[in-house]
Amino acid sequence: MAAALRPRRLTRSAHYVVALAVLLVVLVPVIYAVLGGFRTTGQISANPVGLPRPWVFDNYREILGSDTFWRQLRNSVVVAALTMAVIVPCASLAAFALARFEFAGREAVYALFTIGLLFPLTVAVLPLFISLRTADLLNNPLGVALPQAAFGLPTSIIVLRPFFRAIPAELEEAAALDGCGPFRFFYKVALPLSRPVLATVSVLAIVSSWNAFLLPLVVLSQPDQWTLPLGVTNFSTQYSSDTARVLAFTSLSMVPALVFYVIAERQIVRGLASGALKG
Amino acid sequence: MHRRIARTALLVGLAALVAASCGGDDDDAASSSDDGASGSDEPVTIEWWHIQNNDPGLSLWEDVAAEFEAEHPNVTIDITVYENEAFKTAIAPRLQAGDPPDLFQSWGGGELEQQVDAGLVQDISDGVAPWIDTLNQAAVTMYQVGDAQYGIPFDLGMVGFWYNKDLFAQAGIDAPPATWDELLTDVQKLKDAGITPLALGEGDKWPGMFWWAYLALRNGGPDAMREAGETGSFDSEPFVAAGEQLSELIALDPFQAGHLAAVWDGAGGQAATIATSGAAFHLMGQWAPGTQNANSPDGQGLGDKLGWFPFPAVDGGDGDPTDGFGGGNGFAVGRDAPPEAIEFLEYISSMDVARRWGETNSGILPVVIGSEDSITDPNLQGILAARADASFVQLYLDQAYDPDLGNAINDAVEQLYAGQASAEDVAQTIADAAGG
Amino acid sequence: MTAERPPGGTRPPPTADPGVVSPASGAGSGRAGARWSRRATIIAFLTPALVLYVLLALVPILQGAFYSGFDWNGLEPLEQFVGLQNYREALADPVFLAALRHVGVILVLSLVLQLPFALGLAVLLNERMRGRAVLRLFFFLPFVLSDVITAIVWRLILQPAGLVDHTLGAAGLDGFVRLWLADPGIVLYTVFFVVSWKYFGFHMILLLAGLQGIPFELEEAAALDGASRVQTFRYVTLPLLGPTIRICVFLSIIGSLQLFDLVWVMTGGGPVGASHTTVTYMLERGFERSRFGYGSAVAVIAFLISFAFALTYQRLVLRRDVAGALTAMGER
C-alpha cells in the first residue's frame, strides 16, 4: 500500500502541474487582452509584453462612454432574445410531437431535422440574403433571429426529444382521465417538467446567437444595427492602428458572454452532459 | 399563452416574408424624395459613405457636410465612415439589394463599370457639366464609363516610394535610385548595413500587386496595359518580364519578417514597420504618410526623415519613366440619389474645399485645377509634380478591372512573393482569369 | 440489448416507453373523427418548426444549389446557365483542393490530438483534486468567447515579436520561434492550435460528464481483480465512455468541416491560401469576386461532404448508441 501511495503523490503533483499549465494557456490570452486595454498603443509597440505603465483608463472610458458599444450590445441582446423566443416554442412543440405521437413518417421528419445539423449556414447565406431582401428584413434583428432560429432547430429538437420521451405514460394517461388534451398536457405538464432542459436549449440558442458572425455580417450592413461580433471586427479594422483601443473594445465585448457564462455555467454543463448522454 | 404569442409573432413574420416575395419590385428604402425639381423646401437626406476614417479627413468631411447643411437647411447629410477593407465588405449587400447609398466611395474603373451595368449608379453628366472642367481630366476620366459621368473624383495621386532618409544615409545611399538595377543595388546596400530594406503588407495582397503592376507598366507602356485590359493578354512579354524582375528582388529577401501575413494598416503592418524605422522604404500611394503617422507610437511618424521618389525606369522597357500608376478617391452617385447630392459634390469640388484638403498635407491630392499650391509638404509636392508630368496614369489593377480579375491578379502575384509560382505561371494564371 | 451494456447493468434502465400516445381530446365521435383531430394535433404541433425550418433553412439551401448552375455576379439577372461547370472548375482548382486538404488535416489532428487531450483533462478533473470546479469553469471559458474575439486576440499574440515569441524567448526556447501566421507551411497548424484552444473545453465537459456517469464500483472491482490503472482505463472506462466519445467525434468532425469565423478573421485563409477552409474559400473566391454561382457550387460541395459523412456516421457508428439510448422502443 505504501508503495502505491508514493507514485500517487507524484502523479498528483503532475496532475496539478498539467492543470496549471493548461490554465495558463487558457487565461493568458484573455488577460493579455484585458490588460492591453489599459495601455496605450505606444506602450504596446514599445513593449508588447508588459504591464500597463502607467495604467491608462481612457480607452475603456471612451468606449463605455460612447454610443457604439452599448448600441451593439443592445442589438446583440435583442437578436439573441428574439432567437430564443422563436426557437423555444417551435422546438419544444416539434420535439414533443416527435417524442410522444406515433405517426407515419415520424422518423423521417426527425431525420429531416437532424440533417439540418450539417447544413453550414454558409450554404444558405446568399439565398437567405436575397429572401430577406425581398421580405424587407435586411437591417432588421428579425432578419437575423429567424434564420438563426431555423438553423438552431435541429440541435434543440435533438436535445429536447429524449426528455419528452422520458415523461412516463402514466402521467399522460392520468391527465387524459382528467380531460386534459394533448395541448394542455404539453403546456401544463410537459413544459414545466422540462424546465431544466428548456433552459439548456435557451442557453445554447443565446450563446450561439451572441457569437454569430456571418449571418449578421451579411444581413446587417448599417452600423447602427450591428451586433457585437460585427462591431468588434469593424472596430479592429477601423482602428487597426490603435491596438490598445481594439483590445479594450474586444475585452469589453467579452464581458457579457463571461457574465452570462458564470451565471449559466452549471446549466450549460448539465444540459450538455445530459443531452449528450441521455439513456 | 406565451406559446400562442410566439407563434403569432412567427406567423406574422413569415407572412411578411411571403407577402413580400409575392410583391413586385422592392420600393427603395432610401430617404430621398422623388420630385427633386423644387428640392429646396422638402426635407432631403443624403446618405454618404466615405472611408476617411482617420483625422484630418474625418473631421474635414464632417465640417464640409455641416457647412453644406447650413447653406441648405432642408438637407441632412447622414455620414457613415468605414475603414478601407471594411467598406468593401459593407457596400456589397447594399449593392446586392439594389439600394446603394446616395454617395459612396469609389475608385472608378472596372468596378464602377459593373455598377453601371447593373444600373446602380446615376448618370450625372448633365448635372456636373457646368463645372466638370475645373477638375483634372485624368482623374475625371476614371469615373466615366462609355463617355458618361457616374462619379466625381476628389483626389488623384500616384504610387511611389516613401523612404527613411536617415536609414538611406546610414547605408551609404546618397541619392534615390533612378533605375531598377540601382534599386536592387540599394537594397543590397541596406542589407549589408544591417537594415531591413523594404516593408510590405502582403497579407492584404494589393501592396504586393503595386510592384508587379509598375514593372509591367515600365516594360510594356500604356499600350500593353490597355491591350491586356481588352484582350486579356497578360501572358505577353512585358508581364512575364515584370514577374521575372520582381522575382529578382524577392530573391534578395528584402522584406520584413512576416510580410506574407502582414497588413498594410495595423499592428505590425507595413505602415507600422516604416513608422517605427523597422524598414527603410516601401512602395505605396499618396496616403502613406497619414497611415504611417497613425501607426507610430507618438502619432508623429517619421516627420522630416520621410522622403519620396518616383518608381525608377526599367532599362529596355517600352514604357515611359514618367508613366504613373495610381488612383485616387471619388464618390459615385447612387441611382436613387436626390439632385442635392450632385450639388453637394459640387461643393466638395469647390476650390475652397480642395484647398483645405491640400492644406492638411495628408496625402489627399485635390483634383481641382489650381488648388495644387495649397500643398506645402515637399513629398506631396513631389507627387504632384510627377502627376503633372505623367501623360498616362494606370489605375490600380484590382480597380481597373472587374473584381474577379482584379482579385485574381492579387492572388497570383501573392504566389510570387511566397515563392510558389514562377513569373510565367503568374502571367499565365492571370491571362486565364482574364480570358476565362 | 447492445454490447455496450455494462456487466452488472448499473445504467439506469430506460423509463417505460411512452412513445405511443393517442391524444385523448375527447372530441372524436368515432374513428374518423378521432383520426382527424389527432392528425390535426400533430400537424399543429409540428407546423411552426417545420414552416420556419423549411422556409429559412431548407429552401435557401435548395436555392443555393440552384444558383450553383449559373454564372452570376449577383447584380444582374440570373441568366447564364452553365450547368455543372462551376463544380468542374472548383474540383479542378488547386486552391480549393488544398482547402479540402486543410479541412482534412484539421479534422484528423482534432481527432488524434485534441480529443485525447480533452479526455486526459477530463480524467484529471474526475479525480478528487482541489480546485476542480474552478478548473472546470476556466477550461470551458474559451468556448464561450466568440470565434471573432478569439481570432482577434490570438492574431495579435502571434505577431512576430509578439506575446508568444516573447514568452518563448523568456523561457529560453528562442529556437522555437516561428512566423506563426506568415509562414504558409505552419499557418494551418497555428490555426489548429487556436481552434483547439477554443474547443477543447467543450469536449472535455462532455467527456467528463460521461466519466461521471461511470460508477466507481466498476473501476474498483477491476482494480480488485488485479487490473492496473491503465488496464482498468482501457478495458472498463473507455468502452463505457464509448457513446460519449462517438458523439465528441461526430461533433468534432462536423465542426471541422464547417470551420469559418475563426479562420476568416485570423488569417483570411492566407497567406497564399495556406489556411483556407472550404467556407473561407467560398467567401473569398465566390462572394468577394462577385461569382455567386461559383460560390454556391462550392457551398454545395461542402454540404454534400458533410451530409455524406453524417449519414454514414449515423448509420454505422451512432446507430448502436442511438438504438440503445434514445429509442428504446427500438428500430425493431
Side-chain angles (χ1 to χ4, degrees):
Chain A
M1 263 306 134
L5 270 180
R6 204 171 323 134
R8 263 276 141 104
R9 209 174 288 147
L10 269 180
T11 6
R12 187 56 62 86
S13 330
H15 284 181
Y16 277 109
V17 167
V18 168
L20 205 65
V22 175
L23 190 68
L24 276 179
V25 175
V26 164
L27 285 184
V28 165
V30 176
I31 296 177
Y32 180 77
V34 173
L35 283 184
F38 286 111
R39 312 172 76 192
T40 63
T41 305
Q43 279 186 37
I44 299 182
S45 313
N47 181 10
V49 186
L51 287 177
R53 199 174 308 173
W55 286 73
V56 171
F57 297 98
D58 282 342
N59 295 322
Y60 283 108
R61 198 185 304 145
E62 273 171 34
I63 295 173
L64 286 173
S66 86
D67 253 352
T68 324
F69 176 73
W70 296 109
R71 195 177 337 125
Q72 289 167 359
L73 180 67
R74 196 204 65 201
N75 291 338
S76 281
V77 169
V78 167
V79 170
L82 283 175
T83 307
M84 185 192 87
V86 171
I87 258 198
V88 169
C90 294
S92 49
L93 282 172
F96 185 81
L98 290 171
R100 305 194 70 85
F101 299 150
E102 192 176 83
F103 53 94
R106 183 185 68 178
E107 289 310 307
V109 172
Y110 183 67
L112 188 70
F113 279 113
T114 58
I115 280 173
L117 263 185
L118 20 129
F119 288 169
L121 183 66
T122 42
V123 181
V125 146
L126 178 65
L128 258 181
F129 174 75
I130 295 178
S131 306
L132 291 171
R133 180 211 323 185
T134 317
D136 201 20
L137 281 176
L138 287 183
N139 282 311
N140 185 325
L142 266 182
V144 180
L146 288 175
Q148 273 180 183
F151 278 88
L153 281 174
T155 318
S156 311
I157 291 179
I158 288 179
V159 169
L160 285 171
R161 189 168 100 145
F163 266 79
F164 285 131
R165 223 179 237 285
I167 298 176
E170 297 84 43
L171 265 183
E172 189 153 6
E173 282 154 23
L177 284 176
D178 284 345
C180 198
F183 284 129
R184 287 186 68 204
F185 178 69
F186 169 75
Y187 185 65
K188 298 231 139 161
V189 182
L191 278 189
L193 276 182
S194 315
R195 222 182 299 229
V197 74
L198 283 179
T200 304
V201 164
S202 307
V203 164
L204 287 178
I206 291 176
V207 169
S208 127
S209 166
W210 191 267
N211 292 338
F213 178 64
L214 183 59
L215 186 63
L217 180 71
V218 166
V219 173
L220 306 172
S221 59
Q222 281 173 4
D224 61 348
Q225 292 291 333
W226 282 348
T227 55
L228 270 180
L230 296 184
V232 172
T233 326
N234 182 69
F235 199 89
S236 89
T237 45
Q238 186 173 348
Y239 293 97
S240 51
S241 36
D242 198 341
T243 313
R245 281 190 81 182
V246 170
L247 284 176
F249 196 97
T250 311
S251 305
L252 280 175
S253 47
M254 279 192 228
V255 168
L258 291 177
V259 165
F260 182 74
Y261 167 56
V262 167
I263 297 177
E265 185 238 352
R266 223 179 292 149
Q267 201 60 56
I268 301 175
V269 169
R270 197 188 297 153
L272 278 181
S274 41
L277 307 172
K278 188 62 186 165
Chain B
M1 197 46 63
H2 80 106
R3 162 180 64 87
R4 205 178 288 159
I5 295 176
R7 261 168 92 198
T8 314
L10 175 66
L11 287 171
V12 167
L14 286 171
L17 199 81
V18 169
S21 15
C22 300
D25 278 305
D26 18 309
D27 38 76
D28 60 291
S31 33
S32 43
S33 58
D34 276 311
D35 57 301
S38 63
S40 38
D41 290 338
E42 298 202 19
V44 167
T45 313
I46 299 178
E47 196 188 357
W48 185 27
W49 285 27
H50 72 77
I51 63 170
Q52 272 65 49
N53 61 323
N54 289 314
D55 273 332
L58 189 59
S59 312
L60 181 50
W61 279 143
E62 273 171 24
D63 292 342
V64 169
E67 287 154 22
F68 187 80
E69 282 172 337
E71 286 288 310
H72 300 77
N74 62 316
V75 173
T76 317
I77 300 182
D78 247 337
I79 306 181
T80 304
V81 188
Y82 282 103
E83 182 269 340
N84 198 324
E85 297 308 313
F87 166 77
K88 295 176 189 170
T89 313
I91 191 82
R94 290 293 298 269
L95 296 176
Q96 299 299 326
D99 175 30
D102 298 320
L103 291 174
F104 58 96
Q105 165 71 27
S106 175
W107 293 274
E111 206 158 303
L112 183 63
E113 204 175 316
Q114 255 195 354
Q115 291 161 359
V116 170
D117 287 341
L120 289 168
V121 286
Q122 222 184 83
D123 181 347
I124 57 174
S125 314
D126 294 332
V128 302
W131 46 271
I132 191 89
D133 291 327
T134 63
L135 306 180
N136 176 312
Q137 279 313 295
V140 163
T141 333
M142 287 177 178
Y143 294 84
Q144 282 171 2
V145 176
D147 288 340
Q149 196 73 32
Y150 292 93
I152 290 293
F154 66 92
D155 166 45
L156 176 66
M158 267 173 42
V159 172
F161 285 104
W162 298 87
Y163 73 105
N164 184 321
K165 294 179 188 165
D166 282 357
L167 292 182
F168 263 38
Q170 232 179 294
I173 304 172
D174 4 84
T179 71
W180 179 251
D181 291 324
E182 279 175 38
L183 189 141
L184 293 179
T185 317
D186 286 346
V187 165
Q188 192 55 54
K189 284 191 195 168
L190 285 162
K191 290 205 73 162
D192 294 337
I195 302 172
T196 307
L198 286 163
L200 182 65
E202 187 56 13
D204 284 345
K205 298 183 199 170
W206 51 265
M209 176 268 289
F210 283 1
W211 286 89
W212 188 83
Y214 244 129
L215 286 170
L217 184 60
R218 289 286 182 266
N219 282 311
D223 291 333
M225 305 303 288
R226 243 173 250 140
E227 196 189 316
E230 281 158 24
T231 66
S233 58
F234 286 96
D235 48 355
S236 57
E237 199 264 321
F239 297 97
V240 176
E244 285 166 357
Q245 287 152 358
L246 184 51
S247 299
E248 279 173 31
L249 174 70
I250 295 171
L252 294 177
D253 189 23
F255 303 110
Q256 88 278 16
H259 62 279
L260 278 184
V263 295
W264 153 240
D265 178 10
Q270 184 175 338
T273 308
I274 290 290
T276 55
S277 300
F281 67 126
H282 66 141
L283 181 64
M284 188 43 67
Q286 68 277 13
W287 56 87
T291 316
Q292 285 167 209
N293 296 350
N295 275 280
S296 63
D298 55 359
Q300 298 303 312
L302 294 179
D304 288 339
K305 297 194 291 186
L306 187 64
W308 185 88
F309 62 92
F311 199 90
V314 169
D315 292 330
D318 289 335
D320 193 326
T322 63
D323 285 338
F325 173 79
N329 292 290
F331 296 112
V333 182
R335 136 181 99 194
D336 302 315
E340 284 81 356
I342 302 181
E343 286 175 38
F344 186 51
L345 280 182
E346 187 180 352
Y347 183 56
I348 290 178
S349 308
S350 65
M351 180 65 80
D352 173 53
V353 175
R355 295 195 70 88
R356 279 153 69 187
W357 263 117
E359 280 153 18
T360 64
N361 281 299
S362 61
I364 295 286
L365 303 177
V367 297
V368 177
I369 301 173
S371 65
E372 295 85 354
D373 57 347
S374 60
I375 293 182
T376 51
D377 178 281
N379 292 324
L380 294 178
Q381 283 176 343
I383 302 179
L384 274 175
R387 180 178 94 180
D389 277 345
S391 44
F392 173 75
V393 177
Q394 168 66 44
L395 181 59
Y396 315 113
L397 300 188
D398 59 357
Q399 293 296 328
Y401 311 124
D402 66 65
D404 189 12
L405 178 56
N407 281 311
I409 294 178
N410 288 353
D411 286 331
V413 173
E414 189 194 16
Q415 292 190 303
L416 206 59
Y417 286 100
Q420 288 186 358
S422 71
E424 286 92 10
D425 293 337
V426 169
Q428 191 59 54
T429 311
I430 298 175
D432 291 340
Chain C
M1 283 297 219
T2 68
E4 313 314 301
R5 270 283 150 113
T10 47
R11 270 252 182 90
T15 49
D17 181 70
V20 187
V21 167
S22 321
S25 51
S29 54
R31 279 269 153 94
R35 233 195 345 257
W36 271 116
S37 74
R38 183 166 177 269
R39 196 169 290 167
T41 310
I42 297 175
I43 291 178
F45 270 85
L46 287 177
T47 303
L50 272 181
V51 168
L52 184 67
Y53 185 68
V54 166
L55 269 185
L56 290 181
L58 282 190
V59 164
I61 291 176
L62 292 173
Q63 283 177 315
F66 179 64
Y67 296 147
S68 69
F70 291 81
D71 183 6
W72 187 40
N73 73 356
L75 296 177
E76 288 159 0
L78 197 64
E79 274 165 8
Q80 287 186 284
F81 183 71
V82 293
L84 293 176
Q85 193 186 307
N86 287 328
Y87 291 93
R88 261 177 294 204
E89 187 185 330
L91 293 172
D93 183 1
V95 182
F96 179 62
L97 296 175
L100 286 177
R101 245 193 338 266
H102 300 154
V103 169
V105 166
I106 292 192
L107 193 149
V108 167
L109 285 180
S110 295
L111 293 180
V112 163
L113 291 182
Q114 195 197 116
L115 277 191
F117 178 71
L119 179 59
L121 279 182
V123 167
L124 205 128
L125 284 194
N126 203 25
E127 313 264 320
R128 254 168 242 306
M129 62 187 298
R130 281 207 289 161
R132 186 159 74 144
V134 169
L135 282 176
R136 196 186 69 182
L137 188 89
F138 281 127
F139 287 169
F140 194 64
L141 195 142
F143 181 72
V144 179
L145 300 177
S146 73
D147 276 0
V148 167
I149 291 178
T150 307
I152 289 177
V153 174
W154 273 103
R155 191 173 58 186
L156 254 165
I157 293 181
L158 289 165
Q159 292 279 322
L163 181 62
V164 168
D165 290 350
H166 264 256
T167 312
L168 287 175
L173 295 170
D174 265 322
F176 283 95
V177 167
R178 294 281 180 275
L179 293 173
W180 307 108
L181 293 174
D183 183 342
I186 294 186
V187 64
L188 186 64
Y189 302 102
T190 308
V191 165
F192 167 69
F193 174 76
V194 179
V195 169
S196 300
W197 181 87
K198 183 158 192 306
Y199 289 102
F200 84 91
F202 175 74
H203 295 288
M204 187 198 77
I205 294 285
L206 288 182
L207 291 166
L208 184 60
L211 279 175
Q212 286 171 345
I214 297 176
F216 186 59
E217 299 84 55
L218 285 175
E219 290 167 340
E220 224 175 19
L224 283 176
D225 281 348
S228 72
R229 294 185 72 187
V230 175
Q231 284 175 319
T232 312
F233 187 74
R234 203 167 145 216
Y235 294 110
V236 178
T237 318
L238 266 190
L240 288 176
L241 214 46
T244 315
I245 292 182
R246 281 189 277 280
I247 292 212
C248 278
V249 167
F250 181 76
L251 293 174
S252 181
I253 295 182
I254 294 289
S256 304
L257 289 172
Q258 300 186 7
L259 193 57
F260 169 69
D261 295 2
L262 208 154
V263 178
W264 184 252
V265 176
M266 195 165 77
T267 65
V272 274
S275 62
H276 260 319
T277 64
T278 37
V279 188
T280 59
Y281 175 86
M282 180 192 84
L283 217 81
E284 184 193 84
R285 295 294 167 115
F287 293 6
E288 280 194 344
R289 293 199 186 179
S290 287
R291 297 189 64 202
F292 292 102
Y294 184 67
S296 299
V298 171
V300 169
I301 296 178
F303 163 64
L304 286 176
I305 295 176
S306 296
F307 182 61
F309 160 71
L311 208 61
T312 321
Y313 198 81
Q314 278 221 335
R315 277 196 185 239
L316 294 184
V317 179
L318 281 183
R319 182 159 272 226
R320 295 183 289 171
D321 305 325
V322 168
L326 292 183
T327 56
M329 70 180 282
E331 333 278 343
R332 279 194 197 122

